[in-house]
Amino acid sequence: MTTGLIPGGQTPDPRPPGTRPPHQRGALTGQGAPHVDDRPRSSVITARAAASFEPVGRSVATARAFVRDTLQGWGFADIIDDAVVLTSELVTNAVVHAGTHADVLCLRSADGVRVEVSDRYPEREIPLQGSLATMGSPDREGGRGLQLCAAIAGRWGVEYTPTHKQVWFQLDLPDRPVGTRTAGPSLPADLLPLADSRVRVAVVQIDRTGAISAWNEDAEELFGYPADQVTGKPLTDLAAWPHTPGTSTGIVEALQLSRWEGSYGIRGANGRVTPVYASHLRVRDTDGEPSTVCLLVRDHERAVLQTPSRGPAADSATTSDGQNTDPFEVFIGSPAPDDLDGLLQRTVERARDMLDGDSAFLLLATDDETELEVRASTGLPSARQRFARVPVEAGPGRYGSARMPAVHEDLLAVPGAVPLLNGTGMRSVVTVPLKVEGRLTGSLGVAAEASGRYSNEEALRLQFAADRIALAVESARLGELERLRRGSLSFLVEASDLLAGTLDRDQTLALMAQMTVPTLATWCAVYTIADQASDPYLSYVLHEDEEFIDGIKSLLSKIAPPDPVPTPGARVWAAPAAAAHDAALRSSMRSLGLTGGPTHQVASGIGPTLATASAVGGETVVLPLVARNRVIGMLTLGKPTDEHFRQEILELAEDLSRRAALALDNARLYSERTAISQALQRSLLPPELPAIDGVEVEVIYRAAGEGNEVGGDFYDVFPISDGAYGFAIGDVCGTGPNAAAVTGLARHALRLLAREGLSGPAVLERLNSAILDEGARSRFLTLLYGEMRPQEDGSAELKVVCAGHPLPLRLRQDGTVEAAAEPQPLLGVMEDLELYEQTVTLDPGDVLLCVTDGVTERREGTRMLGDDGLADVLTTCTGLTAGAVAARIMRAVERFASDAPSDDMAILAMRVA
């Protein structure tokens, strides 16, 4: 469907220039002639709306909704039903019988409304011959649309063009007394709605983006915000919308409707939620820019804005012309809301108006029919009562059971008979059950402030209405439950993916909180327990409004944490609400100077304290975080003042808590094992390099694998005796922890053996024996070991043994590079080794470079850096310090290939200064 709204004015002629006027047919004669009008339509058109519908069956219902919304927006409620019936018949003829697109055009004028329905099959003429009497029986398949036009419309006609066939009708507005839209009877003063000394009506205008563009003085008085503070902010930042995730209409959708009327809350500057009754009207300015005008009053003053009620259902089941109507439509209105919350809210409002009550409420039964949950109310503090639960069997006898109708003439005589009404000022009440196929599905009640208002007669009327709507309510409830379950499943799948994507404890805590706020709760806090002997610790706090986080954290830190009970399920925790109430009371007393201290010293803290109390003062529940049969923490969820959690949300939160607990425990185990692994790995690394007079020493070490600090490569530089230093660089076969174990053996054995005064070959032969003694755990090892002794002339004498390791390279001052040792057998393979050491003298400015094979075997496809590539890089390092030489070698290795290194790498550079 495509629609378009066109500003009012002269109606353009749809015919192309130079085209002759269309030939008119259907100018009937006889008795039916007065109903047909072929005169040109009025030239003064104040508004028009157009829509096009595809040739499918569902387009008929869409066209009805389009016409209904259009006329409702124009304020022509009196003729909506007639226009919808006629449009339905004519669109059916176009999309079903003619089989083409249907174009619907609504024109508003001072006299009434004209609706034109066109199809694109002009060759199929309307069968009009003679008078209306010859049009056939109403039971025939075709032609009924024209009969209805003749019977209902003030004027109608048919027009043909070469491309279109058009049927139009005009409905005149009924005569009304000048200046009167609706009126009610005169009432005694004591029966008028109760209001304060002055009724304040907040006028708020919302632009197309949902931001506030206008805010009057009454809005400032009601909610405490000056206009300049809220202008430009989204209304959703202030509205406390009674919305269930995945179901119902939200405030964003409500602001897009042409008209909307109902209840919600506005968060004031003091943090409290003010229940309001609102009337929304969608308008557009002269430039065609749409906006929504919202009129708001306090909920108990709803009579100022509320649309006048229909007549009682029992009296209006028959229309003035004797035709029977559906009692469901009479009670609820047509069409019924598509969502459950809308249906329930309209039900309680109609029930209250039908029995002339002051309030009404509707409760839905749980699956086991043991409890009733408040789902809709009017005239009561709905925010406080919403989702509260009461037992089905509240006491002995029929008056204590929700399964039977009950009338209480005076609640003061039976205190607590209807717990929902405690403290509301209601005196008399009538309640009836909602049943489907004998099963209790809910309860509907109407209450009044006066006693003795209701009798069995009112109970019968209310029961009749409840029987008419019970099936629709149950159907809508099951639909909502199915949508909620699908949404819950999707939510849990997404939550599981997010939680499985991290092993960081802090990030897991943040994800837990962000997934619950604001989807499941307004605020949440996560307590963690390190071990069985530790007390719960407040680890994370989150609120949908960041300004409240610090206040909630401060409040929770001053009260004892909840007990770590492993029992599954949510349990109510009253401590936060009690602490919030006490804090708010103390702040209020200080602000009044009742504590003896000067008021101005505490005035700055009153606002945040009261706002925090309002944010935390509602229902708070605690769910245990149990993983591997141990309580590792608690997930705390909270609502603002006077709000309750519904059972479906608590069940979803319980499923989430199980997944979150396992993810949090996995993160804890990972963190502990990572800390242990890193501590053990760091113990395998040598301490700080010793300072050698006249020699610069630099080492770069990179272990392969995420989280590894030590691998199969190792290095060491250590003092042996006065003036002599040992150095080593080696590579154990393989990587990871197993290789690291041999690394630790080799490094510590080298130090011990070298300090015993053994020569280089003797040290390596004994290390070879120690490696072979490891048996199946042994691994072969390549090792370059040497001893350095600085000389008085500034040179350094080196004695080197290269057991299967890449040869060390010597860089002279003239830029030449040469090997500084000869290859010999590696360790850990043969028992009998014959090793020897070579003596090398480094002159001042010379560099000795030692690397592991992770450097020389760096690959990019089929290319390998190799010994020659390493030597080429080293030739460019003349005149550099040892640190600069090591850094340049590492940069060359990293740039040689784009992939991350897959082998451990170690670089040891020594330069004689």
Side-chain angles (χ1 to χ4, degrees):
M1 180 190 81
T2 59
T3 64
L5 292 177
I6 308 166
Q10 298 293 328
T11 304
D13 192 338
R15 298 187 299 273
T19 305
R20 64 181 178 84
H23 176 63
Q24 297 229 358
R25 307 190 184 186
L28 304 182
T29 60
Q31 297 178 354
H35 293 281
V36 183
D37 184 13
D38 58 1
R39 294 174 297 175
R41 56 178 179 258
S42 172
S43 61
V44 181
I45 302 300
T46 58
R48 58 185 294 176
S52 181
F53 304 92
E54 297 178 354
V56 293
R58 65 176 180 272
S59 294
V60 179
T62 309
R64 288 198 298 264
F66 164 70
V67 173
R68 178 179 297 278
D69 292 342
T70 299
L71 299 189
Q72 183 70 36
W74 290 347
F76 294 160
D78 296 331
I79 61 174
I80 284 179
D81 293 338
D82 291 343
V84 167
V85 169
L86 296 180
T87 302
S88 178
E89 291 294 332
L90 298 181
V91 173
T92 299
N93 181 71
V95 301
V96 176
H97 300 300
T100 73
H101 282 72
D103 300 323
V104 179
L105 175 64
C106 299
L107 303 173
R108 182 183 70 185
S109 65
D111 299 330
V113 172
R114 173 172 171 142
V115 179
E116 300 176 357
V117 180
S118 303
D119 63 49
R120 304 173 189 179
Y121 189 14
E123 291 81 3
R124 185 179 186 274
E125 297 186 0
I126 298 294
L128 294 179
Q129 297 177 356
S131 66
L132 289 176
T134 64
M135 293 177 64
S137 167
D139 297 329
R140 60 178 294 178
E141 186 66 24
R144 290 179 296 181
L146 300 182
Q147 284 184 310
L148 288 174
C149 287
I152 297 176
R155 292 182 296 277
W156 66 281
V158 182
E159 299 177 0
Y160 290 88
T161 70
T163 59
H164 289 76
K165 175 173 77 272
Q166 180 189 99
V167 182
W168 62 269
F169 62 86
Q170 181 163 332
L171 298 174
D172 297 329
L173 295 177
D175 293 333
R176 301 193 183 109
V178 177
T180 302
R181 174 63 179 88
T182 58
S186 299
L187 295 175
D190 57 347
L191 296 181
L192 295 175
L194 182 63
D196 292 341
S197 57
R198 176 187 171 188
V199 176
R200 296 188 179 274
V201 179
V203 181
V204 183
Q205 192 156 4
I206 312 299
D207 62 21
R208 69 159 63 236
T209 66
I212 298 172
S213 59
W215 183 269
N216 72 340
E217 294 182 357
D218 280 358
E220 295 183 12
E221 183 66 26
L222 285 175
F223 310 123
Y225 299 106
D228 57 354
Q229 185 176 344
V230 296
T231 301
K233 291 186 177 181
L235 181 62
T236 53
D237 289 354
L238 306 180
W241 192 262
H243 178 61
T244 302
T247 62
S248 307
T249 300
I251 187 169
V252 176
E253 293 82 1
L255 291 174
Q256 299 300 317
L257 301 177
S258 59
R259 285 182 181 272
W260 185 89
E261 188 176 321
S263 300
Y264 52 91
I266 295 292
R267 291 188 180 91
N270 60 359
R272 296 182 179 275
V273 175
T274 301
V276 298
Y277 192 83
S279 177
H280 296 176
L281 175 64
R282 189 80 164 159
V283 298
R284 59 191 171 93
D285 58 21
T286 55
D287 296 329
E289 182 68 17
S291 62
T292 302
V293 177
C294 306
L295 306 180
L296 303 96
V297 297
R298 284 171 291 196
D299 192 70
H300 66 274
E301 297 171 342
R302 62 171 53 230
V304 177
L305 299 180
Q306 190 167 27
T307 301
S309 61
R310 297 170 180 259
D315 299 331
S316 57
T318 303
T319 60
S320 58
D321 56 2
Q323 296 179 350
N324 292 330
T325 60
D326 186 356
F328 173 80
E329 290 194 3
V330 172
F331 183 67
I332 296 298
S334 178
D338 294 331
D339 63 281
L340 178 62
D341 287 343
L343 176 60
L344 300 183
Q345 190 61 36
R346 187 177 293 186
T347 298
V348 295
E349 291 173 358
R350 295 293 185 266
R352 179 200 60 188
D353 297 340
M354 183 180 72
L355 297 188
D356 194 22
D358 297 310
S359 64
F361 52 89
L362 193 149
L363 304 86
L364 294 184
T366 56
D367 292 337
D368 56 5
E369 297 183 27
T370 59
E371 290 184 305
L372 295 168
E373 185 179 63
V374 180
R375 291 300 302 273
S377 64
T378 181
L380 296 174
S382 56
R384 176 171 63 89
Q385 304 294 350
R386 188 171 172 80
F387 300 128
R389 290 198 165 196
V390 296
V392 170
E393 306 293 342
R398 60 168 294 183
Y399 291 104
S401 174
R403 303 181 188 275
M404 299 292 292
V407 178
H408 294 277
E409 295 184 352
D410 192 350
L411 292 177
L412 294 181
V414 281
V418 184
L420 188 64
L421 301 179
N422 291 345
T424 62
M426 299 298 157
R427 294 282 300 275
S428 55
V429 61
V430 52
T431 61
V432 296
L434 277 69
K435 294 184 177 181
V436 175
E437 297 180 351
R439 182 173 60 87
L440 179 69
T441 60
S443 178
L444 177 62
V446 178
E449 295 178 352
S451 60
R453 286 281 297 277
Y454 302 117
S455 62
N456 288 337
E457 180 181 354
E458 284 77 13
L460 291 174
R461 291 178 61 192
L462 190 61
Q463 184 66 70
F464 176 77
D467 292 342
R468 300 302 302 176
I469 59 107
L471 185 59
V473 169
E474 180 65 5
S475 177
R477 187 188 72 86
L478 293 176
E480 181 202 56
L481 187 60
E482 179 63 23
R483 290 192 298 271
L484 186 62
R485 286 175 177 170
R486 287 199 302 266
S488 300
L489 181 60
S490 176
F491 173 78
L492 290 175
V493 169
E494 182 179 359
S496 299
D497 289 343
L498 291 173
L499 291 172
T502 179
L503 288 172
D504 182 81
R505 176 182 177 276
D506 293 338
Q507 189 173 0
T508 302
L509 290 172
L511 284 174
M512 290 171 56
Q514 292 166 6
M515 285 185 293
T516 56
V517 176
T519 304
L520 305 182
T522 304
W523 65 272
C524 84
V526 182
Y527 290 85
T528 56
I529 303 175
D531 52 59
Q532 298 294 341
S534 302
D535 294 329
Y537 174 75
L538 182 62
S539 299
Y540 203 92
V541 175
L542 184 66
H543 190 280
E544 63 179 4
D545 188 341
E546 294 181 356
E547 295 180 357
F548 293 139
I549 294 178
D550 291 338
I552 296 176
K553 187 181 300 184
S554 175
L555 182 70
L556 294 179
S557 64
K558 297 176 181 178
I559 61 177
D563 296 330
V565 179
T567 306
R571 53 192 174 92
V572 177
W573 186 30
H581 179 270
D582 292 342
L585 181 60
R586 288 194 300 268
S587 295
S588 299
M589 292 179 65
R590 288 197 300 268
S591 67
L592 298 175
L594 299 180
T595 58
T599 304
H600 63 84
Q601 293 182 358
V602 297
S604 60
I606 294 174
T609 301
L610 294 177
T612 302
S614 177
V616 184
E619 186 176 58
T620 303
V621 296
V622 177
L623 297 103
L625 298 174
V626 181
R628 299 176 175 90
N629 298 321
R630 186 174 73 87
V631 180
I632 63 172
M634 287 86 69
L635 177 63
T636 303
L637 306 179
K639 286 280 190 179
T641 305
D642 298 337
E643 290 193 20
H644 296 268
F645 286 96
R646 58 182 305 180
Q647 187 63 25
E648 292 84 352
I649 296 298
L650 294 179
E651 292 173 356
L652 181 59
E654 185 176 357
D655 287 339
L656 176 63
S657 68
R658 287 194 290 267
R659 290 165 169 79
L662 187 59
L664 184 61
D665 199 46
N666 288 340
R668 178 187 63 83
L669 293 175
Y670 178 78
S671 299
E672 290 178 355
R673 293 180 181 179
T674 299
I676 294 172
S677 174
Q678 291 175 347
L680 292 175
Q681 291 183 63
R682 282 192 292 270
S683 69
L684 300 178
L685 294 174
E688 295 182 358
L689 298 177
I692 305 176
D693 292 338
V695 179
E696 299 173 359
V697 180
E698 183 64 31
V699 173
I700 296 179
Y701 183 84
R702 301 282 175 84
E706 183 179 359
N708 290 333
E709 295 188 21
V710 176
D713 292 5
F714 68 94
Y715 68 92
D716 201 0
V717 180
F718 55 92
I720 298 176
S721 59
D722 294 340
Y725 294 86
F727 65 90
I729 184 169
D731 184 3
V732 179
C733 174
T735 60
N738 293 330
V742 179
T743 295
L745 171 64
R747 193 180 69 78
H748 290 95
L750 281 175
R751 287 198 172 207
L752 291 174
L753 295 172
R755 288 170 177 171
E756 291 294 323
L758 300 176
S759 65
V763 169
L764 268 61
E765 289 170 2
R766 284 168 174 74
L767 176 60
N768 180 65
S769 299
I771 293 175
L772 293 175
D773 289 343
E774 291 293 309
R777 295 181 299 177
S778 67
R779 291 170 176 260
F780 64 81
L781 168 67
T782 69
L783 179 64
L784 171 66
Y785 174 73
E787 295 180 2
M788 173 186 292
R789 189 179 298 275
Q791 303 298 311
E792 294 181 356
D793 60 357
S795 64
E797 182 184 79
L798 279 68
K799 295 182 179 180
V800 182
V801 181
C802 186
H805 198 78
L807 299 179
L809 300 179
R810 176 182 181 179
L811 172 64
R812 297 182 180 273
Q813 289 183 336
D814 60 3
T816 58
V817 175
E818 61 183 11
E822 297 177 353
Q824 301 184 57
L826 52 77
L827 307 181
V829 178
M830 299 179 294
E831 292 185 1
D832 297 327
L833 290 178
E834 294 183 1
L835 302 175
Y836 58 91
E837 62 183 11
Q838 296 173 267
T839 302
V840 179
T841 300
L842 296 180
D843 297 326
D846 289 353
V847 175
L848 184 71
L849 177 66
C850 309
V851 299
T852 58
D853 60 4
V855 174
T856 57
E857 294 180 2
R858 177 73 162 150
R859 294 179 180 275
E860 173 69 21
T862 59
R863 297 186 308 119
M864 185 173 70
L865 180 63
D867 296 333
D868 294 338
L870 179 62
D872 292 341
V873 177
L874 185 59
T875 58
T876 66
C877 298
T878 304
L880 300 181
T881 63
V885 170
R888 180 169 292 186
I889 298 297
M890 178 55 72
R891 283 197 303 270
V893 173
E894 291 175 341
R895 293 172 180 173
F896 187 80
S898 58
D899 297 336
S902 58
D903 195 6
D904 304 328
M905 293 187 297
I907 300 173
L908 172 61
M910 295 182 291
R911 178 179 180 273
V912 179

